mmCIF file of all heavy atoms in Angstrom:
data_model
loop_
_atom_site.group_PDB
_atom_site.id
_atom_site.type_symbol
_atom_site.label_atom_id
_atom_site.label_comp_id
_atom_site.label_asym_id
_atom_site.label_seq_id
_atom_site.Cartn_x
_atom_site.Cartn_y
_atom_site.Cartn_z
ATOM 1 N N ILE A 48 19.951 -15.054 10.797
ATOM 2 C CA ILE A 48 18.814 -14.123 10.756
ATOM 3 C C ILE A 48 19.047 -12.987 11.751
ATOM 4 O O ILE A 48 18.880 -11.809 11.418
ATOM 5 C CB ILE A 48 17.489 -14.847 11.124
ATOM 6 C CG1 ILE A 48 17.077 -15.852 10.057
ATOM 7 C CG2 ILE A 48 16.379 -13.818 11.358
ATOM 8 C CD1 ILE A 48 15.777 -16.588 10.391
ATOM 9 N N PHE A 49 19.430 -13.358 12.966
ATOM 10 C CA PHE A 49 19.642 -12.331 14.001
ATOM 11 C C PHE A 49 20.758 -11.386 13.574
ATOM 12 O O PHE A 49 20.666 -10.173 13.770
ATOM 13 C CB PHE A 49 19.961 -12.995 15.347
ATOM 14 C CG PHE A 49 18.768 -13.645 15.997
ATOM 15 C CD1 PHE A 49 18.422 -14.953 15.725
ATOM 16 C CD2 PHE A 49 17.977 -12.916 16.885
ATOM 17 C CE1 PHE A 49 17.312 -15.550 16.321
ATOM 18 C CE2 PHE A 49 16.869 -13.502 17.486
ATOM 19 C CZ PHE A 49 16.531 -14.821 17.199
ATOM 20 N N ALA A 50 21.818 -11.962 12.962
ATOM 21 C CA ALA A 50 22.949 -11.127 12.540
ATOM 22 C C ALA A 50 22.529 -10.176 11.417
ATOM 23 O O ALA A 50 22.846 -8.985 11.451
ATOM 24 C CB ALA A 50 24.104 -12.015 12.091
ATOM 25 N N ALA A 51 21.795 -10.692 10.424
ATOM 26 C CA ALA A 51 21.421 -9.854 9.274
ATOM 27 C C ALA A 51 20.539 -8.689 9.704
ATOM 28 O O ALA A 51 20.620 -7.591 9.159
ATOM 29 C CB ALA A 51 20.700 -10.697 8.224
ATOM 30 N N LYS A 52 19.678 -8.919 10.701
ATOM 31 C CA LYS A 52 18.730 -7.892 11.148
ATOM 32 C C LYS A 52 19.272 -7.043 12.299
ATOM 33 O O LYS A 52 18.614 -6.082 12.692
ATOM 34 C CB LYS A 52 17.435 -8.569 11.649
ATOM 35 C CG LYS A 52 16.507 -9.070 10.568
ATOM 36 C CD LYS A 52 15.295 -9.766 11.187
ATOM 37 C CE LYS A 52 14.459 -8.913 12.102
ATOM 38 N NZ LYS A 52 13.435 -8.080 11.469
ATOM 39 N N ASP A 53 20.413 -7.434 12.884
ATOM 40 C CA ASP A 53 20.850 -6.835 14.154
ATOM 41 C C ASP A 53 19.744 -6.980 15.189
ATOM 42 O O ASP A 53 19.432 -6.048 15.939
ATOM 43 C CB ASP A 53 21.183 -5.346 14.005
ATOM 44 C CG ASP A 53 22.558 -5.153 13.401
ATOM 45 O OD1 ASP A 53 23.423 -6.016 13.645
ATOM 46 O OD2 ASP A 53 22.737 -4.159 12.682
ATOM 47 N N ARG A 54 19.150 -8.143 15.238
ATOM 48 C CA ARG A 54 18.010 -8.369 16.133
ATOM 49 C C ARG A 54 18.509 -8.863 17.480
ATOM 50 O O ARG A 54 19.369 -9.740 17.550
ATOM 51 C CB ARG A 54 17.088 -9.419 15.512
ATOM 52 C CG ARG A 54 15.811 -9.740 16.324
ATOM 53 C CD ARG A 54 14.998 -10.723 15.508
ATOM 54 N NE ARG A 54 13.815 -11.243 16.140
ATOM 55 C CZ ARG A 54 12.565 -10.892 15.803
ATOM 56 N NH1 ARG A 54 12.356 -9.966 14.900
ATOM 57 N NH2 ARG A 54 11.539 -11.477 16.367
ATOM 58 N N PRO A 55 17.985 -8.312 18.590
ATOM 59 C CA PRO A 55 18.403 -8.806 19.898
ATOM 60 C C PRO A 55 18.060 -10.291 20.038
ATOM 61 O O PRO A 55 16.959 -10.708 19.661
ATOM 62 C CB PRO A 55 17.584 -7.979 20.898
ATOM 63 C CG PRO A 55 16.892 -6.923 20.120
ATOM 64 C CD PRO A 55 16.962 -7.273 18.659
ATOM 65 N N ASN A 142 13.301 -6.822 7.827
ATOM 66 C CA ASN A 142 13.777 -5.441 7.982
ATOM 67 C C ASN A 142 14.867 -5.416 9.040
ATOM 68 O O ASN A 142 14.873 -6.269 9.934
ATOM 69 C CB ASN A 142 12.619 -4.534 8.440
ATOM 70 C CG ASN A 142 11.901 -5.098 9.659
ATOM 71 O OD1 ASN A 142 11.245 -6.138 9.560
ATOM 72 N ND2 ASN A 142 12.060 -4.469 10.800
ATOM 73 N N PRO A 143 15.783 -4.429 8.971
ATOM 74 C CA PRO A 143 16.695 -4.262 10.099
ATOM 75 C C PRO A 143 15.871 -4.047 11.375
ATOM 76 O O PRO A 143 14.826 -3.379 11.336
ATOM 77 C CB PRO A 143 17.493 -3.004 9.730
ATOM 78 C CG PRO A 143 17.373 -2.888 8.242
ATOM 79 C CD PRO A 143 16.008 -3.429 7.909
ATOM 80 N N SER A 144 16.319 -4.629 12.476
ATOM 81 C CA SER A 144 15.561 -4.565 13.729
ATOM 82 C C SER A 144 15.196 -3.121 14.083
ATOM 83 O O SER A 144 16.035 -2.228 13.990
ATOM 84 C CB SER A 144 16.411 -5.177 14.846
ATOM 85 O OG SER A 144 15.649 -5.290 16.019
ATOM 86 N N GLY A 145 13.936 -2.927 14.457
ATOM 87 C CA GLY A 145 13.490 -1.600 14.878
ATOM 88 C C GLY A 145 12.994 -0.715 13.759
ATOM 89 O O GLY A 145 12.351 0.302 14.011
ATOM 90 N N LEU A 159 18.261 -4.621 3.603
ATOM 91 C CA LEU A 159 19.106 -5.805 3.845
ATOM 92 C C LEU A 159 19.978 -6.211 2.658
ATOM 93 O O LEU A 159 20.595 -7.284 2.688
ATOM 94 C CB LEU A 159 18.223 -6.997 4.262
ATOM 95 C CG LEU A 159 17.454 -6.842 5.570
ATOM 96 C CD1 LEU A 159 16.551 -8.066 5.804
ATOM 97 C CD2 LEU A 159 18.397 -6.675 6.766
ATOM 98 N N ARG A 162 23.183 -8.446 2.811
ATOM 99 C CA ARG A 162 23.218 -9.163 4.092
ATOM 100 C C ARG A 162 22.473 -10.497 4.035
ATOM 101 O O ARG A 162 22.512 -11.264 4.988
ATOM 102 C CB ARG A 162 22.608 -8.290 5.195
ATOM 103 C CG ARG A 162 23.190 -6.869 5.199
ATOM 104 C CD ARG A 162 22.818 -6.109 6.434
ATOM 105 N NE ARG A 162 23.577 -6.633 7.564
ATOM 106 C CZ ARG A 162 23.693 -6.032 8.738
ATOM 107 N NH1 ARG A 162 23.089 -4.899 8.962
ATOM 108 N NH2 ARG A 162 24.400 -6.565 9.702
#
Side-chain angles (χ1 to χ4, degrees):
I48 292 180
F49 287 88
K52 283 178 59 85
D53 281 329
R54 182 176 175 107
N142 51 292
S144 188
L159 297 176
R162 311 192 73 166

